[in-house]
């Protein structure tokens, strides 16, 4: 019994932390820039596929993380250029990137099997496993701490990421980026080049999504081009649940970033518990849908209950109405 | 806060739910199924049927991953955490369990089934000498013999085609084998892939324009899920399909050398019983189905104007679609 609670806790922490990185990426596009970027579902498996390829080629794991983040940023560049320069609606621009990313991920998988001597170059491969002796980003701490090594490694990574994001969004360019998302016309009136901010923001966002895909693939030692399915739901649920948990004082930007992490953990916790109660994962999808509606309703309920106290918070939620 | 209370009550629920199942003599078997499709379900049912006949005390926990990465990993971690033996049905499920076992640092045996090539998929280094507490059964179909069937149909087929999903590693392995077999039997071979099932019709049109006289469909769960799109096209063009597995005959294929997933699951179940009874896994190489009976479908053959030669009819173990 204690074992079960312990397992629920560690499983949720492991996945919650990895999906918190994803949540932070989507937070930038969805909350700060006010753009729904569906490219996430493609960039996530792309990051994973590139990771397994680079690890198979014996690139040191820390460099792998950098390279994958840059690759994700490039995908964000594509989405943002389609959106800003070609005036394609952001939703469609994201879908185009997603469609592009999945065969790219399969090509990377194909290169991995080629480098292992199984296949000819240029093949599209759906799923691959990282061969046993290759070390991942997690190897160092896992050597000392076992399962908690995974948790601690991702946790340290998240602290660094939140720190960097907090610093970045405090700089002049970061603040102008937030202003662009908040009120584009006002930002343009202040003679800001909003297109450039959107490009930068989406690059940052997709970089983090790819990084999350990379961590997930290293954690699971697999790359699969279908693994992006459902990531946007997980990310949005994490963001919204986080906002619901920290609703009473979410003015501070650092707390907003932390709330994504808390939300990601809470969401995994609920999913993990639901998975145990419902033996069939088919029902889980129904629970997920209901849960999603509930999470989306929370801001409304909170507003009704604490109307006065919340007058100036949850601005983001209002601006989406 | 309300949410906290909800979480508390849910946890309590989970605890109550699991207390009833704590028993030290029972073997806890965790099964992770990658996606809910007939072949994988058959494999699971076969696995369970063998265990039911045995006198072992066991409890099965089945999780279906819905082909989602997030569910593969959380299900795998859950199962590995609380099972004495785990079974992965299809390659991604098996590799998820393998990773989860490493994360949990537990030394429990892993079985797999419906994996075409465990070495290619990175599950193990040597099929004959499992050294990492992982073994299982492969659903490798007799591709060479299936391709050979085209020459036995009595249609003087010179050019065959193949369609498969670019998402499926298993299909790529089968494509290479089919290509080699086609060369051996002097057949022209062409293949086309699709990434989404909505593309199947267009891809089939291209294959038919290329002038194929026969179509080979591999054991590809994405393809199986939209098989009727393939059948619609071949029926009009009067092209016979040889299927990679038995289920395809119900959906339009004319013949196959059958892989019976129920039987494959039974084979895996037998291995599970051996493991529970203490057999050393390093002495349990990956097993394959030893019999692949010929199955024909008369009705589908008739629709395209194909009459099976007598020797083929005599060879067949099962003939489906005969007039009642």
């Amino acid at each position: 019994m204690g074992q079960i609670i312990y397992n629920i806790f560690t499983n949720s922490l492991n996945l919650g932390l990895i999906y918190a990185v994803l949540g932070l990426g989507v937070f930038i596009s969805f909350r700060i820039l006010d753009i729904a970027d569906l490219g996430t579902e493609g960039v996530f498996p792309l990051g994973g596929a590139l990771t397994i390829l680079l690890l198979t080629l014996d690139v040191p794991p820390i460099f792998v993380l950098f390279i994958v983040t840059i690759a994700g940023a490039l995908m964000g560049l594509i989405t943002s250029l389609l959106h800003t320069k070609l005036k394609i609606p952001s939703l469609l621009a994201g879908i185009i990137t997603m469609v592009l990313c999945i065969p790219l991920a399969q090509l990377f998988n194909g290169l991995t099997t080629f480098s292992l001597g199984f296949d000819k170059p240029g093949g599209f491969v759906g799923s691959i496993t990282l061969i046993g002796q290759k070390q991942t980003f997690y190897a160092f701490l896992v050597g000392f701490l076992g399962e908690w090594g995974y948790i601690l490694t991702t946790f340290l990574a998240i602290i660094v990421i939140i720190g960097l994001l907090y610093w970045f969004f405090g700089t002049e360019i970061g603040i102008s980026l937030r202003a662009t998302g908040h009120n584009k016309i006002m930002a343009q009136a202040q003679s800001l080049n909003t297109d450039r901010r959107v490009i930068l923001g989406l690059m940052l966002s997709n970089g983090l999504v790819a990084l999350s895909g990379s961590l997930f693939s290293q954690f699971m030692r697999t790359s699969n081009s279908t693994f992006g399915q459902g990531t946007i739901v997980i990310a949005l649920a994490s963001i919204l649940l986080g906002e619901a948990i920290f609703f009473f004082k979410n003015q501070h930007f650092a707390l907003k970033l932390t709330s994504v992490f808390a939300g990601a953990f809470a969401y995994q916790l609920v999913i993990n518990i639901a998975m145990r109660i419902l033996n069939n994962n088919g029902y889980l999808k129904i629970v997920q849908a209901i849960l999603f509606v509930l999470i989306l309703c929370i801001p409304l309920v909170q507003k009704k209950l604490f109307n006065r106290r919340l007058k100036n918070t949850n601005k983001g939620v209002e601006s989406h109405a | 806060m309300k949410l906290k209370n909800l979480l508390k009550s849910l946890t309590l629920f989970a605890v109550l739910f699991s207390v009833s199942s704590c028993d030290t003599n029972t073997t806890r078997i965790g099964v992770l199924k990658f996606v809910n499709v007939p072949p994988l379900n058959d494999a699971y049912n076969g696995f369970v049927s063998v265990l039911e006949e045995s006198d072992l005390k066991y409890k099965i926990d089945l999780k279906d991953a819905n082909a989602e990465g997030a569910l593969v990993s959380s299900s795998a971690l859950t199962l590995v955490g609380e099972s004495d033996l785990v079974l992965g049905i299809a390659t991604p499920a098996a590799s998820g369990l393998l990773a989860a076992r490493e994360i949990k640092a537990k030394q429990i045996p892993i079985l797999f089934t419906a994996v075409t090539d465990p070495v290619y998929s990175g599950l193990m280094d040597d099929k004959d000498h499992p050294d990492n507490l992982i073994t299982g059964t492969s659903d490798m179909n007799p591709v060479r013999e299936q391709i050979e069937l085209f020459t036995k149909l009595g249609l003087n087929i010179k050019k065959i085609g193949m369609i498969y999903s670019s998402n499926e590693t298993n299909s790529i392995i089968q494509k290479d084998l089919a290509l080699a077999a086609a060369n051996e039997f002097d057949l022209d071979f062409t293949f086309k892939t699709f990434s989404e099932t909505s593309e199947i019709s267009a891809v089939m049109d291209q294959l038919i324009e290329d002038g194929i006289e026969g179509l080979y469909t591999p054991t590809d769960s994405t393809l199986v899920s939209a098989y009727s799109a393939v059948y619609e096209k071949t029926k009009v063009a009067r092209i016979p399909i040889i299927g990679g597995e038995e289920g395809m005959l119900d959906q339009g294929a004319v013949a196959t050398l059958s892989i019976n997933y129920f039987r494959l699951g039974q084979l895996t179940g037998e291995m599970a019983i051996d493991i529970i009874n203490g057999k050393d896994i390093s002495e349990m190489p990956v097993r394959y189905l030893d019999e692949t009976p010929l199955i024909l479908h008369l009705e589908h053959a008739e629709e395209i104007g194909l009459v099976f030669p007598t020797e083929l009819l005599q060879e067949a173990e099962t003939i489906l679609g005969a007039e009642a």
Side-chain angles (χ1 to χ4, degrees):
Chain A
M1 183 173 20
Q3 179 69 28
I4 288 176
I5 294 170
Y6 175 82
N7 279 341
I8 290 179
F9 185 72
T10 50
N11 295 352
S12 311
L13 207 52
N14 259 321
L15 290 170
L17 282 164
I18 291 171
Y19 285 126
V21 180
L22 173 78
L24 284 168
V26 176
F27 181 81
I28 295 171
S29 60
F30 181 65
R31 274 292 181 245
I32 296 181
L33 288 174
D34 197 12
I35 286 174
D37 180 10
L38 289 183
T40 306
E41 300 225 337
V43 175
F44 187 84
L46 179 76
L50 186 56
T51 302
I52 300 293
L53 173 63
L54 292 174
L55 288 176
T56 308
L57 298 174
D58 290 319
V59 178
I62 193 85
F63 291 124
V64 171
L65 295 184
F66 278 112
I67 297 169
V68 168
T69 311
I70 290 164
L74 285 177
M75 289 298 137
L77 181 66
I78 293 175
T79 311
S80 55
L81 287 179
L82 290 173
H83 177 50
T84 56
K85 303 296 174 200
L86 298 180
K87 305 291 173 212
I88 297 172
S90 60
L91 206 62
L92 278 173
I95 291 173
I96 292 168
T97 311
M98 176 179 80
V99 168
L100 172 74
C101 280
I102 289 171
L104 276 181
Q106 291 175 357
L107 266 181
F108 285 139
N109 287 347
L111 280 174
T112 308
T113 54
F114 170 62
S115 72
L116 292 172
F118 279 118
D119 219 344
K120 290 173 277 301
F124 290 86
V125 176
S127 79
I128 45 158
T129 308
L130 183 66
I131 50 173
Q133 55 270 41
K134 302 286 179 192
Q135 302 247 302
T136 65
F137 179 58
Y138 289 104
F140 181 71
L141 281 180
V142 168
F144 299 111
L145 295 167
E147 192 183 358
W148 285 92
Y150 290 94
I151 295 169
L152 196 63
T153 309
T154 330
F155 186 68
L156 291 176
I158 297 249
I159 299 221
V160 171
I161 291 166
I162 290 185
L164 284 175
L165 283 180
Y166 183 66
W167 165 79
F168 172 76
F169 282 107
T171 61
E172 204 168 322
I173 183 107
I175 289 172
S176 69
L177 208 155
R178 281 157 74 187
T180 303
H182 235 256
N183 190 334
K184 207 170 192 168
I185 295 162
M186 192 63 195
Q188 278 163 350
Q190 304 288 329
S191 73
L192 286 178
N193 184 339
T194 52
D195 279 1
R196 238 182 250 170
R197 267 83 189 166
V198 169
I199 292 171
L200 184 67
L202 280 182
M203 285 177 74
L204 200 58
S205 158
N206 282 279
L208 285 176
V209 171
L211 181 63
S212 167
S214 172
L215 290 174
F216 184 76
S217 273
Q218 298 190 47
F219 182 66
M220 293 305 290
R221 298 183 76 91
T222 344
S223 153
N224 190 320
S225 59
T226 66
F227 275 4
Q229 268 176 35
T231 45
I232 195 91
V233 175
I234 294 170
L236 293 182
S238 303
I239 293 168
L240 295 166
L241 202 55
E243 281 169 359
I245 294 171
F246 283 92
F247 75 101
F248 41 90
K249 44 177 177 182
N250 71 359
Q251 269 103 340
H252 201 277
F253 193 70
L255 200 63
K256 274 189 183 174
L257 293 176
T258 319
S259 80
V260 176
F261 154 56
F265 172 60
Y267 185 66
Q268 288 304 321
L269 206 57
V270 175
I271 292 294
N272 263 291
I273 292 168
M275 205 162 71
R276 272 156 209 279
I277 298 173
L278 310 160
N279 262 330
N280 190 330
N281 280 358
Y283 291 118
L284 191 60
K285 293 273 117 184
I286 302 172
V287 171
Q288 252 173 324
I290 296 169
L291 194 67
F292 216 50
V293 174
L294 287 180
I295 294 170
L296 284 167
C297 285
I298 292 173
L300 197 74
V301 176
Q302 285 170 349
K303 235 162 81 181
K304 285 253 161 71
L305 289 177
F306 308 90
N307 206 0
R308 206 174 298 155
R309 238 164 91 198
L310 275 176
K311 218 158 204 177
N312 287 319
T313 57
N314 277 346
K315 247 186 194 144
V317 179
E318 275 159 20
S319 70
H320 289 282
Chain B
M1 218 189 303
K2 273 185 179 166
L3 191 76
K4 259 188 191 162
N5 285 332
L6 183 74
L7 286 181
K8 265 184 205 159
S9 52
L10 277 174
T11 321
L12 198 67
F13 218 103
V15 169
L16 286 174
F17 204 78
S18 48
V19 169
S20 56
S21 59
C22 287
D23 186 349
T24 40
N25 287 328
T26 313
T27 311
R28 297 167 302 171
I29 303 174
V31 182
L32 178 57
K33 188 170 64 177
F34 182 56
V35 64
N36 192 5
V37 291
L40 304 190
N41 296 346
D42 287 351
Y44 174 72
N45 293 334
F47 180 78
V48 176
S49 75
V50 170
L51 287 174
E52 269 171 2
E53 282 164 22
S54 72
D55 46 7
L56 288 169
K57 276 172 88 181
Y58 68 94
K59 177 182 166 286
I60 290 194
D61 189 0
L62 169 69
K63 299 259 181 260
D64 182 341
N66 282 314
E68 268 180 45
L71 277 181
V72 169
S73 79
S74 52
S75 308
L77 287 170
T78 304
L79 292 174
V80 168
E82 285 133 48
S83 305
D84 305 313
L85 167 73
V86 284
L87 166 70
I89 307 182
T91 313
S95 52
L97 289 170
L98 191 62
R101 187 178 66 176
E102 192 176 315
I103 291 159
K104 293 279 177 193
K106 281 185 81 172
Q107 284 299 309
I108 56 166
I110 300 178
L111 272 173
F112 55 77
T113 186
V115 168
T116 302
D117 188 335
V119 175
Y120 182 96
S121 319
L123 293 175
M124 56 202 305
D125 298 330
D126 187 346
K127 271 183 264 208
D128 298 322
H129 304 98
D131 56 358
N132 195 19
L133 272 182
I134 177 167
T135 187
T137 55
S138 160
D139 64 349
M140 193 61 195
N141 44 324
V143 176
R144 183 184 165 276
E145 286 74 14
Q146 284 172 345
I147 296 292
E148 192 184 9
L149 273 182
F150 282 109
T151 63
K152 294 180 177 173
L153 289 178
L155 287 176
N156 195 20
I157 290 172
K158 287 273 172 271
K159 179 163 187 169
I160 59 168
M162 175 170 168
I163 180 171
Y164 64 90
S165 152
S166 55
N167 284 329
E168 302 246 350
T169 314
N170 290 347
S171 304
I172 297 163
I173 304 167
Q174 293 175 59
K175 182 260 292 175
D176 290 342
L177 290 170
L179 180 62
N183 284 335
E184 186 182 335
F185 299 112
D186 270 332
L187 296 163
D188 275 341
F189 183 80
T190 178
F191 66 91
K192 290 263 185 305
T193 66
F194 61 91
S195 57
E196 274 175 50
T197 49
S198 57
E199 296 163 18
I200 289 180
S201 289
V203 170
M204 279 306 300
D205 282 339
Q206 289 175 25
L207 280 171
I208 291 165
E209 280 159 24
D210 278 357
I212 59 165
E213 294 159 334
L215 181 75
Y216 179 66
T217 53
T219 58
D220 177 320
S221 40
T222 320
L223 183 66
V224 172
S225 69
Y227 207 76
S228 57
V230 176
Y231 180 47
E232 288 305 316
K233 294 290 178 187
T234 54
K235 198 162 75 174
V236 175
R238 297 169 85 81
I239 291 171
I241 311 176
I242 304 279
E245 47 115 349
E246 200 176 327
M248 290 170 176
L249 264 77
D250 296 331
Q251 303 190 61
V254 297
T256 190
L257 294 164
S258 145
I259 286 289
N260 186 321
Y261 278 88
F262 189 84
R263 181 74 198 94
L264 194 71
Q266 286 180 320
L267 208 61
T268 322
E270 286 161 20
M271 293 175 87
I273 291 169
D274 283 348
I275 291 173
I276 294 167
N277 288 334
K279 194 168 170 187
D280 186 0
I281 292 182
S282 59
E283 286 162 17
M284 298 172 69
V286 174
R287 286 174 72 180
Y288 295 82
L289 282 181
D290 32 19
E291 73 276 20
T292 52
L294 174 66
I295 304 181
L296 303 174
H297 201 296
L298 282 185
E299 203 184 311
H300 293 148
E302 230 164 67
E303 274 169 357
I304 57 160
L306 166 69
V307 181
F308 288 117
T310 351
E311 57 268 33
L312 206 61
L313 285 168
Q314 280 164 357
E315 214 180 292
E317 189 180 286
T318 316
I319 296 175
L320 300 168
E323 275 116 303

